[in-house]
Amino acid sequence: MHTSISALDIYPNVRTLLGMIVGLALAHMLTQFARIIEFNRWRKLYWPHMMWAAFMLVYIIHFWWWQVRLSALPAWTFGMFAFIVFYALLVFLACTVVFPASLSDGRTADDQAHYYARRGWFFGLVAAIYVVDVFDSLLKGSAFVASLGTEYYVRNGAYVLLALIATRTSNQRYHQAFAVLAFAYQLAWIVRRYEVFG
């Protein structure tokens, strides 16, 4: 019985499935942003909610780039495959919670009410994503993990802790500060990690 399959045989399938999930998440987010523009006269926007929506949009793009490293794995097991799919599905679910279809009709949407009503689900998913991300990085090998440095673990731990607090508190100042810091740090991490500006 084969317990693993060479990367040459399986990675194209992994890439295709991840592309489908990421594509659906990206299409969902862009559609919802377009609906905001369409119904901007009626929709009651809440800026921390919009920042988290923007955060997830950036996360989707970063996730797709982050997973390019999977191509370097020499072999795959079904468990590895299922784990990566699970990670992608968590990201997709977070996108659908932050921007559900029920908010599509801007004439009745109240983003602030939705944000606080669904904060447990959304921030629970955010915390889960950053826990799973650590195992995803370990999957890519010791050299990759070493390249991330200590900051990576501090970053993920901070996101998990702050997200868990966000599931429990409805303090607006906390949520506003968390939204700004999370989004700013995510952008800074990407710029520094990938030397975006050379």
PDB file of all heavy atoms in Angstrom, residues 77-88:
ATOM      1  N   THR A  77       1.484  12.839   1.662  1.00  0.00           N
ATOM      2  CA  THR A  77       0.568  11.819   2.165  1.00  0.00           C
ATOM      3  C   THR A  77      -0.842  12.402   2.110  1.00  0.00           C
ATOM      4  O   THR A  77      -1.008  13.619   1.941  1.00  0.00           O
ATOM      5  CB  THR A  77       0.886  11.441   3.626  1.00  0.00           C
ATOM      6  OG1 THR A  77       0.677  12.604   4.462  1.00  0.00           O
ATOM      7  CG2 THR A  77       2.330  10.963   3.770  1.00  0.00           C
ATOM      8  N   PHE A  78      -1.835  11.542   2.258  1.00  0.00           N
ATOM      9  CA  PHE A  78      -3.199  12.050   2.254  1.00  0.00           C
ATOM     10  C   PHE A  78      -3.423  12.990   3.432  1.00  0.00           C
ATOM     11  O   PHE A  78      -4.148  13.985   3.309  1.00  0.00           O
ATOM     12  CB  PHE A  78      -4.223  10.908   2.317  1.00  0.00           C
ATOM     13  CG  PHE A  78      -5.637  11.407   2.330  1.00  0.00           C
ATOM     14  CD1 PHE A  78      -6.245  11.847   1.172  1.00  0.00           C
ATOM     15  CD2 PHE A  78      -6.348  11.472   3.534  1.00  0.00           C
ATOM     16  CE1 PHE A  78      -7.556  12.333   1.192  1.00  0.00           C
ATOM     17  CE2 PHE A  78      -7.644  11.964   3.559  1.00  0.00           C
ATOM     18  CZ  PHE A  78      -8.248  12.388   2.381  1.00  0.00           C
ATOM     19  N   GLY A  79      -2.796  12.703   4.572  1.00  0.00           N
ATOM     20  CA  GLY A  79      -2.935  13.572   5.742  1.00  0.00           C
ATOM     21  C   GLY A  79      -2.428  14.976   5.476  1.00  0.00           C
ATOM     22  O   GLY A  79      -3.054  15.970   5.877  1.00  0.00           O
ATOM     23  N   MET A  80      -1.301  15.086   4.780  1.00  0.00           N
ATOM     24  CA  MET A  80      -0.751  16.388   4.424  1.00  0.00           C
ATOM     25  C   MET A  80      -1.704  17.138   3.494  1.00  0.00           C
ATOM     26  O   MET A  80      -1.965  18.322   3.662  1.00  0.00           O
ATOM     27  CB  MET A  80       0.618  16.223   3.758  1.00  0.00           C
ATOM     28  CG  MET A  80       1.698  15.701   4.683  1.00  0.00           C
ATOM     29  SD  MET A  80       3.143  15.039   3.791  1.00  0.00           S
ATOM     30  CE  MET A  80       3.739  16.506   2.966  1.00  0.00           C
ATOM     31  N   PHE A  81      -2.209  16.402   2.519  1.00  0.00           N
ATOM     32  CA  PHE A  81      -3.149  16.986   1.561  1.00  0.00           C
ATOM     33  C   PHE A  81      -4.396  17.505   2.274  1.00  0.00           C
ATOM     34  O   PHE A  81      -4.840  18.646   2.048  1.00  0.00           O
ATOM     35  CB  PHE A  81      -3.520  15.932   0.515  1.00  0.00           C
ATOM     36  CG  PHE A  81      -4.595  16.353  -0.436  1.00  0.00           C
ATOM     37  CD1 PHE A  81      -4.333  17.275  -1.446  1.00  0.00           C
ATOM     38  CD2 PHE A  81      -5.868  15.829  -0.335  1.00  0.00           C
ATOM     39  CE1 PHE A  81      -5.325  17.659  -2.333  1.00  0.00           C
ATOM     40  CE2 PHE A  81      -6.866  16.209  -1.212  1.00  0.00           C
ATOM     41  CZ  PHE A  81      -6.589  17.128  -2.217  1.00  0.00           C
ATOM     42  N   ALA A  82      -4.970  16.673   3.157  1.00  0.00           N
ATOM     43  CA  ALA A  82      -6.184  17.055   3.892  1.00  0.00           C
ATOM     44  C   ALA A  82      -5.917  18.264   4.779  1.00  0.00           C
ATOM     45  O   ALA A  82      -6.769  19.145   4.912  1.00  0.00           O
ATOM     46  CB  ALA A  82      -6.682  15.880   4.725  1.00  0.00           C
ATOM     47  N   PHE A  83      -4.739  18.308   5.393  1.00  0.00           N
ATOM     48  CA  PHE A  83      -4.395  19.426   6.265  1.00  0.00           C
ATOM     49  C   PHE A  83      -4.346  20.744   5.495  1.00  0.00           C
ATOM     50  O   PHE A  83      -4.891  21.754   5.944  1.00  0.00           O
ATOM     51  CB  PHE A  83      -3.043  19.165   6.934  1.00  0.00           C
ATOM     52  CG  PHE A  83      -2.523  20.332   7.721  1.00  0.00           C
ATOM     53  CD1 PHE A  83      -3.027  20.615   8.977  1.00  0.00           C
ATOM     54  CD2 PHE A  83      -1.541  21.162   7.191  1.00  0.00           C
ATOM     55  CE1 PHE A  83      -2.556  21.718   9.704  1.00  0.00           C
ATOM     56  CE2 PHE A  83      -1.071  22.251   7.902  1.00  0.00           C
ATOM     57  CZ  PHE A  83      -1.578  22.521   9.158  1.00  0.00           C
ATOM     58  N   ILE A  84      -3.708  20.748   4.330  1.00  0.00           N
ATOM     59  CA  ILE A  84      -3.597  21.966   3.521  1.00  0.00           C
ATOM     60  C   ILE A  84      -4.969  22.422   3.040  1.00  0.00           C
ATOM     61  O   ILE A  84      -5.289  23.620   3.035  1.00  0.00           O
ATOM     62  CB  ILE A  84      -2.644  21.740   2.328  1.00  0.00           C
ATOM     63  CG1 ILE A  84      -1.205  21.513   2.820  1.00  0.00           C
ATOM     64  CG2 ILE A  84      -2.691  22.916   1.361  1.00  0.00           C
ATOM     65  CD1 ILE A  84      -0.631  22.679   3.612  1.00  0.00           C
ATOM     66  N   VAL A  85      -5.805  21.463   2.654  1.00  0.00           N
ATOM     67  CA  VAL A  85      -7.171  21.803   2.240  1.00  0.00           C
ATOM     68  C   VAL A  85      -7.944  22.397   3.414  1.00  0.00           C
ATOM     69  O   VAL A  85      -8.679  23.380   3.263  1.00  0.00           O
ATOM     70  CB  VAL A  85      -7.896  20.570   1.670  1.00  0.00           C
ATOM     71  CG1 VAL A  85      -9.380  20.862   1.432  1.00  0.00           C
ATOM     72  CG2 VAL A  85      -7.242  20.126   0.375  1.00  0.00           C
ATOM     73  N   PHE A  86      -7.767  21.808   4.604  1.00  0.00           N
ATOM     74  CA  PHE A  86      -8.422  22.318   5.809  1.00  0.00           C
ATOM     75  C   PHE A  86      -8.003  23.763   6.075  1.00  0.00           C
ATOM     76  O   PHE A  86      -8.847  24.617   6.393  1.00  0.00           O
ATOM     77  CB  PHE A  86      -8.061  21.431   7.003  1.00  0.00           C
ATOM     78  CG  PHE A  86      -8.531  21.951   8.331  1.00  0.00           C
ATOM     79  CD1 PHE A  86      -9.879  21.992   8.642  1.00  0.00           C
ATOM     80  CD2 PHE A  86      -7.614  22.403   9.274  1.00  0.00           C
ATOM     81  CE1 PHE A  86     -10.320  22.468   9.868  1.00  0.00           C
ATOM     82  CE2 PHE A  86      -8.040  22.886  10.501  1.00  0.00           C
ATOM     83  CZ  PHE A  86      -9.400  22.919  10.795  1.00  0.00           C
ATOM     84  N   TYR A  87      -6.725  24.061   5.932  1.00  0.00           N
ATOM     85  CA  TYR A  87      -6.215  25.421   6.138  1.00  0.00           C
ATOM     86  C   TYR A  87      -6.897  26.379   5.150  1.00  0.00           C
ATOM     87  O   TYR A  87      -7.391  27.447   5.537  1.00  0.00           O
ATOM     88  CB  TYR A  87      -4.703  25.416   5.948  1.00  0.00           C
ATOM     89  CG  TYR A  87      -3.993  26.727   6.213  1.00  0.00           C
ATOM     90  CD1 TYR A  87      -4.641  27.824   6.781  1.00  0.00           C
ATOM     91  CD2 TYR A  87      -2.646  26.867   5.907  1.00  0.00           C
ATOM     92  CE1 TYR A  87      -3.965  29.017   7.026  1.00  0.00           C
ATOM     93  CE2 TYR A  87      -1.965  28.049   6.153  1.00  0.00           C
ATOM     94  CZ  TYR A  87      -2.633  29.117   6.702  1.00  0.00           C
ATOM     95  OH  TYR A  87      -1.973  30.293   6.945  1.00  0.00           O
ATOM     96  N   ALA A  88      -6.947  25.995   3.893  1.00  0.00           N
ATOM     97  CA  ALA A  88      -7.576  26.849   2.881  1.00  0.00           C
ATOM     98  C   ALA A  88      -9.059  27.065   3.183  1.00  0.00           C
ATOM     99  O   ALA A  88      -9.592  28.167   3.002  1.00  0.00           O
ATOM    100  CB  ALA A  88      -7.406  26.232   1.494  1.00  0.00           C
TER     101      ALA A  88
END
